[in-house]
Amino acid sequence: MKFVSKLYTTLIYLFLYAPIFVLILFSFNNSSTMSRSVFSGFSLRWYRQLFEDRLILVALRNTLLIAVLAAVVSTVLGTIGAIGINSLKGKWARRTAMNITNLPMVNPEIVTGVSMMLLFVIAMRMLNTDLGMGSLMIAHITFCLPYVIMSVRPKLLQMDAHLYEAAQDLGCTPVQAFFKVVLPQILPGIITGAIMAFTLSIDDFVISYFTSGTTQTLPIYIYSMTRKRISPEINALSTVLFAVILALLFIVNVRQSGSSAKTARLQDAAEEGEV
């Protein structure tokens, strides 16, 4: 039975990751005919060509700029939103607020993208301008916000609800109590939310496609490359993106594991103290 279970698990992982391994392998292909099925030897030529392509570098710059700004703004707004939801009186009000907040995460991306495009088109006509970096930025901040709130709120729930009031009783002003007592408690959740927002922004294609106008991001540029003969540069580009996303997810998991272990140690210490 154990053999069948291991075989089943191996096949599942093989099914999930075999295409990615093939893509990574052919990003190092030395073929001069842009072959997608014959491996002719190891080479970094497609990586060199990738970073000499001006259009790709412009798309990369746009993607990173939008991802960093969207992560910063959505983290600030999401943290404020999580604190606001947590301070609502009554479970019904908090549950309703969280359900409304979570709705964009379960809504199909294409519906979100089309609805945002319609809204931006109306707004841009009134402002006599076009879709571009501004609309892209607002769209990315909007769909990143729920993920930040989802990351920060569990930390607020874990925190002792009376710490903020206790800090004020000991002489802190409300601002000092927040930055010296509340913020360190929820900081792991804030960092996790920021990394998630950055990752989601880099990875997004559907919503960006509808709200970008003529502005190119990496996912949109890759899609435009697939309309013609696919260059092995796209394999190199996809490998770089996969490595970046994998590294960020690894950091998030390590931080969450460290936070859980720290919480467990504190609980054990508290129980030993009571004994």
Side-chain angles (χ1 to χ4, degrees):
M1 194 63 186
K2 285 185 177 178
F3 172 76
V4 175
S5 176
K6 288 180 180 178
L7 179 64
Y8 177 76
T9 306
T10 303
L11 289 175
I12 290 292
Y13 280 115
L14 191 65
F15 179 76
L16 289 174
Y17 291 102
I20 297 174
F21 289 141
V22 171
L23 180 143
I24 294 172
L25 175 66
F26 276 84
S27 71
F28 297 103
N29 193 2
N30 193 29
S31 171
S32 59
T33 59
M34 293 190 180
S35 173
R36 284 172 284 172
S37 58
V38 179
F39 191 77
S40 307
F42 181 85
S43 172
L44 294 174
R45 60 179 297 187
W46 301 115
Y47 286 89
R48 283 197 298 272
Q49 290 192 22
L50 170 68
F51 291 104
E52 289 172 356
D53 190 323
R54 190 184 63 82
L55 292 177
I56 288 182
L57 293 180
V58 170
L60 178 64
R61 184 201 62 192
N62 291 340
T63 302
L64 292 177
L65 180 64
I66 292 169
V68 170
L69 290 177
V72 171
V73 176
S74 62
T75 299
V76 173
L77 295 179
T79 302
I80 295 171
I83 293 171
I85 292 172
N86 201 53
S87 64
L88 288 174
K89 301 297 181 185
K91 288 184 179 179
W92 185 87
R94 288 195 292 271
R95 194 171 297 166
T96 302
M98 281 306 298
N99 287 335
I100 294 172
T101 303
N102 292 338
L103 192 58
M105 291 192 293
V106 295
N107 195 38
E109 272 194 281
I110 192 165
V111 175
T112 305
V114 172
S115 57
M116 282 187 176
M117 180 191 68
L118 293 173
L119 176 66
F120 289 145
V121 166
I122 294 171
M124 296 303 169
R125 280 184 182 172
M126 294 173 66
L127 297 172
N128 196 25
T129 182
D130 296 317
L131 297 177
M133 287 292 285
S135 56
L136 255 178
M137 195 78 70
I138 295 171
H140 281 231
I141 291 169
T142 303
F143 74 72
C144 287
L145 262 176
Y147 294 94
V148 177
I149 293 174
M150 187 182 68
S151 300
V152 175
R153 191 151 185 269
K155 294 298 176 188
L156 288 167
L157 294 175
Q158 291 174 9
M159 190 183 76
D160 189 328
H162 302 293
L163 275 178
Y164 180 70
E165 294 173 359
Q168 288 183 289
D169 289 341
L170 292 172
C172 285
T173 63
V175 175
Q176 288 174 330
F178 173 76
F179 282 103
K180 291 187 176 180
V181 177
V182 178
L183 188 61
Q185 297 284 325
I186 63 174
L187 191 59
I190 294 174
I191 294 173
T192 301
I195 294 174
M196 283 184 67
F198 181 77
T199 306
L200 289 166
S201 178
I202 282 185
D203 190 49
D204 179 72
F205 167 72
V206 178
I207 295 174
S208 300
Y209 183 76
F210 287 103
T211 59
S212 61
T214 57
T215 303
Q216 291 274 354
T217 63
L218 272 181
I220 296 174
Y221 187 77
I222 292 173
Y223 175 72
S224 67
M225 289 173 75
T226 59
R227 291 176 176 173
K228 48 192 178 182
R229 184 174 175 80
I230 300 175
S231 165
E233 282 180 39
I234 200 171
N235 297 340
L237 181 58
S238 301
T239 302
V240 172
L241 282 177
F242 177 74
V244 171
I245 299 300
L246 189 66
L248 289 174
L249 287 176
F250 178 76
I251 293 170
V252 170
N253 286 326
V254 168
R255 288 195 62 84
Q256 286 179 340
S257 300
S259 178
S260 300
K262 185 179 179 182
T263 303
R265 284 197 301 272
L266 289 173
Q267 286 178 347
D268 291 341
E271 289 174 0
E272 288 175 3
E274 289 176 0
V275 172

